[in-house]
Amino acid sequence: MEYVSPEGLRLDGRRPMEMRQIRAEIGAVSRADGSAIFEMGNTKVVAAVYGPREVQNRSQQMSDQALIRCEYSMANFSTGDRKRKPKGDRRSTEISLVIRQTMEACIMTHLMPRSQIDIYVQVLQADGGTRSACINAATLALADAGIPMRDLVTSCSAGYLNSIPLLDLNYVEDSAGGPDVTVGILPKLDKVTLLQMDSKLPIDILENVVQLATEGCKAVANYIREILLENTKQLEYRRGV
Amino acid sequence: MVGLSLGEQHFIQGGISQDLRCDGRKRLTFRPIHVETGVIPQANGSARVRMGATDVIASVKAELGKPSFLQPNKGKVSIHIDCSSTAEPAFEGRGGDELSSELSNALQSCLLGGKSGEGAGIDLSSLIVIEGKICWDLYIDGLVVSSDGNLLDALGAAIKAALSNTGIPRVQVAVGESSDDQPEVDVSDEEFLQFDTSGIPVIVTLTKVGRHYIVDATSEEESQMSSAISFSVNRQGHICGITKRGGAGMDPSIILDMVSVAKHVSEQLINKLDSEIASAEAEDQE
């Protein structure tokens, strides 16, 4: 099947190096300490952060750093076919672990010993790149909660179909059977915190695809910075500064 | 949720008995309701309802299925609610299961009537394609994204809005060779039949705090309740379902009084909800 037309247009009309439209909103769940909704094209996720708060399970308490916990769950209506089990299946457990490890690397846990930070991510619509959207939403939610971090964490995916590296795969392109590389970076520090790939890819192409995904991450980081600046201006305005 | 101090509890109870709640509302006033329809494009119908900080999403998916033996001329509807952990940390893992099943059961009894399918708010016979062989199965999924009390009312409103937004694809039946064979059906991608939702009831929950009852309680107020009764009332003023929660017993005369209050309040709610749904649909169309 042709995923890139001879004119260089993908199935949804994008160019190979073009990301989907991103949209973010801070403070969607008012009960949470921090929350955000992040949309990448048709993929829409909401993240809520509760913490730092007292550790619920005493046996897991750490005396020198905060405990980070994460849960990823997909709504019944998020996929095309109705999903039976929202959470607890293997894929959700794996993605929860991936998000937790990625965020743990950038949160300054040593500043909040004996406490716990819960990150809950709920997928409302899944159209490829849910992992990346969840990490981006979690970053915004943590920033909204005022939790100290070393840097933002942004994530984007890229693939390789019809011998062309493609940025930000949607569900159809993802299920094509080609490789799907997910990259998460700390943009200011310029370090990679997450790198996952499935299917196979020639080694000489790998560097190109990872580089493309990293460019996507940097674009997301710029957008996130704008959103956070706008949010801070709103907060200043409300304080009467 | 952080516990309330004794002073705060007295403040809430005192305010309610003096008809001035913490956010300035009277006892029988609802919070502003915001409705958005068509929020889930891949579903047949969907809606998001916000009442204050309570935020719920409902989606309707239609699939072709076989009607049950006992009711060959009716389609099937199932309602399933999920409480997301974003609403409360306590809903993590299986923590939200109890509340989810309580809400699902309450909504099923309010909207779908009894076991025989009689008295359902939704006209199930409109879902039939070929009697005894093919019918539409509607799967209604609700998700609680943020919880600040009054979940049942918000979910009822969201389901009503989602059903108003639902389009059932038109089905063309090919005449089969023999009557035993599964007939061929051609599901149209273009044409949709809008669902008739004028008979769907709304749910009004009356929460008793002290000696008075309030409508649309926030979770602070719900923590002070002795009991709560949810009434599902339709446009004609008929009661379609009653659910009582909470341990405290109530005098039967109070319950009858609550029924009349619920009927009165539900009129306003139905009108408000219909106008919100209409404006949401109009915006969706633009």
Side-chain angles (χ1 to χ4, degrees):
Chain A
M1 190 181 153
E2 210 180 65
Y3 292 98
V4 186
S5 74
E7 297 91 47
L9 291 176
R10 289 151 78 172
L11 293 169
D12 52 5
R14 284 186 284 154
R15 298 252 155 227
M17 308 252 194
E18 205 182 312
M19 270 187 77
R20 290 176 290 185
Q21 189 165 55
I22 6 180
R23 207 185 76 86
E25 191 189 309
I26 300 188
V29 180
S30 35
R31 292 284 307 274
D33 292 319
S35 63
I37 293 186
F38 199 87
E39 287 178 63
M40 285 171 101
N42 282 332
T43 299
K44 185 167 174 177
V45 314
V46 55
V49 167
Y50 288 87
R53 55 193 193 124
E54 197 171 329
V55 181
Q56 307 288 301
N57 190 351
R58 268 316 185 83
S59 59
Q60 290 175 333
Q61 192 181 54
M62 290 187 281
S63 57
D64 58 342
Q65 54 176 302
L67 174 70
I68 311 288
R69 291 165 75 245
C70 179
E71 190 190 63
Y72 166 94
S73 128
M74 295 184 83
N76 272 335
F77 44 76
S78 57
T79 50
D81 302 319
R82 229 180 125 251
K83 216 177 144 63
R84 287 290 143 169
K85 231 177 154 210
K87 45 188 161 184
D89 60 315
R90 298 227 313 238
R91 182 175 169 273
S92 304
T93 316
E94 190 240 331
I95 299 186
S96 307
L97 183 69
V98 163
I99 300 178
R100 179 172 70 74
Q101 288 176 337
T102 313
M103 306 320 291
E104 212 168 4
C106 85
I107 296 177
M108 294 170 144
T109 51
H110 59 277
L111 293 178
M112 299 160 287
R114 280 182 282 275
S115 66
Q116 135 181 339
I117 298 175
D118 290 315
I119 306 172
Y120 299 117
V121 194
Q122 174 80 43
V123 176
L124 300 173
Q125 272 172 250
D127 187 27
T130 49
R131 210 172 293 234
S132 304
C134 289
I135 291 176
N136 296 329
T139 298
L140 272 171
L142 286 164
D144 186 35
I147 292 180
M149 295 195 281
R150 292 187 180 87
D151 195 355
L152 302 173
V153 187
T154 56
S155 168
C156 192
S157 66
Y160 188 71
L161 289 171
N162 293 145
S163 311
I164 304 178
L166 302 174
L167 179 59
D168 198 12
L169 305 173
N170 61 22
Y171 181 71
V172 181
E173 292 167 339
D174 201 357
S175 5
D180 173 20
V181 179
T182 308
V183 175
I185 62 167
L186 302 174
K188 266 268 161 59
L189 299 175
D190 212 9
K191 289 196 191 308
V192 173
T193 56
L194 168 68
L195 182 58
Q196 280 190 312
M197 188 185 93
D198 49 26
S199 185
K200 45 186 189 197
L201 188 60
I203 294 186
D204 45 345
I205 312 283
L206 177 65
E207 197 183 321
N208 281 351
V209 177
V210 170
Q211 185 57 34
L212 184 58
T214 310
E215 292 299 316
C217 295
K218 294 207 172 113
V220 174
N222 285 338
Y223 179 73
I224 287 185
R225 270 190 213 108
E226 273 173 36
I227 292 284
L228 286 171
L229 264 171
E230 182 59 43
N231 188 45
T232 310
K233 280 194 189 130
Q234 284 291 318
L235 292 172
E236 276 186 332
Y237 172 68
R238 279 181 221 161
R239 269 186 67 194
V241 171
Chain B
M1 204 192 76
V2 179
L4 294 174
S5 70
L6 208 52
E8 283 171 304
Q9 289 173 22
H10 285 160
F11 190 76
I12 293 176
Q13 286 163 8
I16 288 173
S17 60
Q18 292 176 42
D19 205 15
L20 182 64
R21 292 152 76 173
C22 290
D23 49 10
R25 285 186 285 155
K26 291 193 161 316
R27 285 196 284 263
L28 299 180
T29 314
F30 273 89
R31 284 173 286 189
I33 306 176
H34 293 285
V35 177
E36 281 168 48
T37 55
V39 289
I40 310 285
Q42 64 243 37
N44 292 78
S46 59
R48 177 184 177 197
V49 165
R50 269 174 290 173
M51 283 182 175
T54 297
D55 192 349
V56 304
I57 298 180
S59 92
V60 179
K61 276 217 163 98
E63 283 169 23
L64 284 174
K66 207 165 158 19
S68 81
F69 269 135
L70 303 165
Q71 280 126 47
N73 61 340
K74 291 199 158 96
K76 304 199 294 278
V77 178
S78 79
I79 303 183
H80 178 82
I81 307 294
D82 186 31
C83 293
S84 169
S85 6
T86 52
E88 280 288 325
F91 294 159
E92 190 179 340
R94 315 217 45 175
D97 282 357
E98 206 181 295
L99 182 59
S100 305
S101 36
E102 189 192 319
L103 290 168
S104 308
N105 285 337
L107 284 164
Q108 283 197 311
S109 67
C110 286
L111 297 173
L112 296 179
K115 287 212 174 75
S116 65
E118 291 302 317
I122 305 164
D123 183 19
L124 295 176
S125 38
S126 65
L127 294 174
I128 205 74
V129 175
I130 298 176
E131 194 163 315
K133 296 225 176 94
I134 302 187
C135 70
W136 283 109
D137 286 337
L138 286 189
Y139 293 101
I140 304 181
D141 289 305
L143 179 73
V144 175
V145 176
S146 171
S147 148
D148 191 21
N150 210 23
L151 289 176
L152 203 51
D153 296 17
L155 282 165
I159 291 178
K160 190 174 162 73
L163 284 167
S164 319
N165 182 241
T166 300
I168 309 279
R170 203 182 283 278
V171 180
Q172 242 114 25
V173 185
V175 177
E177 303 267 296
S178 106
S179 58
D180 286 339
D181 287 355
Q182 242 345 63
E184 278 180 34
V185 280
D186 175 35
V187 181
S188 158
D189 276 335
E190 312 281 316
E191 298 165 21
F192 291 92
L193 296 166
Q194 285 301 121
F195 219 63
D196 174 30
T197 57
S198 53
I200 298 185
V202 291
I203 304 182
V204 174
T205 303
L206 288 175
T207 311
K208 191 156 187 287
V209 177
R211 284 174 33 224
H212 303 270
Y213 15 95
I214 53 174
V215 127
D216 196 9
T218 62
S219 35
E220 277 182 348
E221 293 166 337
E222 274 181 359
S223 68
Q224 298 309 303
M225 75 171 187
S226 52
S227 49
I229 307 190
S230 303
F231 298 94
S232 120
V233 188
N234 71 8
R235 194 183 286 274
Q236 281 83 38
H238 296 158
I239 307 276
C240 305
I242 302 183
T243 313
K244 182 188 174 296
R245 295 183 340 262
M250 279 202 249
D251 200 276
S253 56
I254 297 187
I255 297 186
L256 290 174
D257 188 38
M258 280 169 115
V259 168
S260 57
V261 170
K263 275 176 65 171
H264 169 70
V265 169
S266 67
E267 273 171 39
Q268 298 163 16
L269 179 60
I270 289 182
N271 290 337
K272 180 90 209 303
L273 205 51
D274 281 339
S275 66
E276 283 290 322
I277 293 174
S279 60
E281 295 262 331
E283 254 180 59
D284 196 27
Q285 247 138 59
E286 277 164 33

